[in-house]
Amino acid sequence: MLEFIASMIGFVIKASWLMLPAYLANPTAVVFGGGTPVDMGRNWYDGRRILGDGKTFRGLLGGTACGAAAGLIQMQVTSLHYLGTFTVLSVFMLSFGALLGDMIKSFFKRRLGYERGAEFPLVDQLDFVAGAWVMTYLFDPKWFSDNFLESPWIMVTVVLFTPLLHRLTNIIGYYLKLKKEPW
Ligand code: CTP
Ligand code: MG
C-alpha cells in the first residue's frame, strides 16, 4: 500500500514537471488577458461570437510567453532532469498548444450556445491538455513519444490529476478576483 502511494506521488510529480509549461500558460493568460479579442469581436454564421471576449491576444501571448519561460528555465535545472527533459520546441508547443486547445474549446462552446464563462465540465479542464499533447505530438513527435507514449501511466496521471489541479487553481483565481467564475 505504502509503495503504491509512493509510486502515485512519483507519477504526479513527473506529470506536473512535464506539463508545467502548459499548466502555467492557462492561469497566466487569465492574468495578462484583456483588450482585443482574438476573434476581433466578430460573429460566426450562427450569429454568435466566433470565440467570445474571453479569448484575447494579450492572454494568448502573455500565457504562451509565461509557459514557455517556465519551460526554458526547467531546461536549465539539470538536477531535476531525471523527471524529464525538454526541447525548445516542446516547451513552446506545450504552452501555445494549451491555449490553442482552450480557444478551440471556446469555438465549440459558442456553437453549442454556451455563453462566455459558462461551465463545460471536464472539457474546460482537459482542453489545454489535449491542445498541448496534439501540438507537441505534431511538432516534436520524438519528445512526445519519449516522454508520454513510452510511459502511458504518466498520461493517465495527467488526465486524472489535471481536473483536480485546474479546479483548485480556478477557485484560488476566483477568490483573488482574477476570474469571474470559480471554474
Ligand atoms: N483569457 C484571455 N485570453 C485567452 C485565455 C483566457 O484573455 N486566450 C482570459 C479572459 O479574461 C478569460 C479568462 O482568462 O475571461 C478566463 O479564461 P477561460 O476560462 O478560458 O475563458 P472564459 O471567459 O471562461 O470563456 P469561455 O466560455 O470561452 O471558456
Ligand atoms: Mg472559463
Side-chain angles (χ1 to χ4, degrees), residues 36-102:
T36 313
V38 175
D39 67 8
M40 302 283 192
R42 281 183 301 226
N43 288 345
W44 188 248
Y45 304 101
D46 55 11
R48 295 178 185 276
R49 286 287 294 276
I50 302 175
L51 301 172
D53 284 329
K55 305 297 121 147
T56 67
F57 284 109
R58 261 169 41 195
L60 185 62
L61 294 177
T64 301
C66 288
L72 295 175
I73 292 169
Q74 286 174 283
M75 289 177 75
Q76 314 306 315
V77 188
T78 45
S79 57
L80 290 177
H81 280 184
Y82 67 94
L83 293 172
T85 54
F86 294 90
T87 61
V88 172
L89 201 54
S90 69
V91 152
F92 276 91
M93 287 305 145
L94 280 168
S95 161
F96 176 69
L99 294 173
L100 190 66
D102 172 61

Side-chain angles (χ1 to χ4, degrees), residues 105 109 117 124 179 181 183:
K105 176 221 44 197
K109 266 172 103 171
D124 273 331
K179 281 204 65 167
E181 308 86 15
W183 52 75

Side-chain angles (χ1 to χ4, degrees), residues 18-19 21-22 85-98 100 128-149 155:
L18 286 173
M19 292 301 286
T85 54
F86 294 90
T87 61
V88 172
L89 201 54
S90 69
V91 152
F92 276 91
M93 287 305 145
L94 280 168
S95 161
F96 176 69
L100 190 66
F128 68 99
V129 170
W133 280 351
V134 168
M135 291 304 273
T136 49
Y137 175 74
L138 290 176
F139 286 90
D140 199 343
K142 185 182 177 326
W143 182 85
F144 183 80
S145 139
D146 287 350
N147 289 285
F148 289 113
L149 294 182
M155 296 185 85

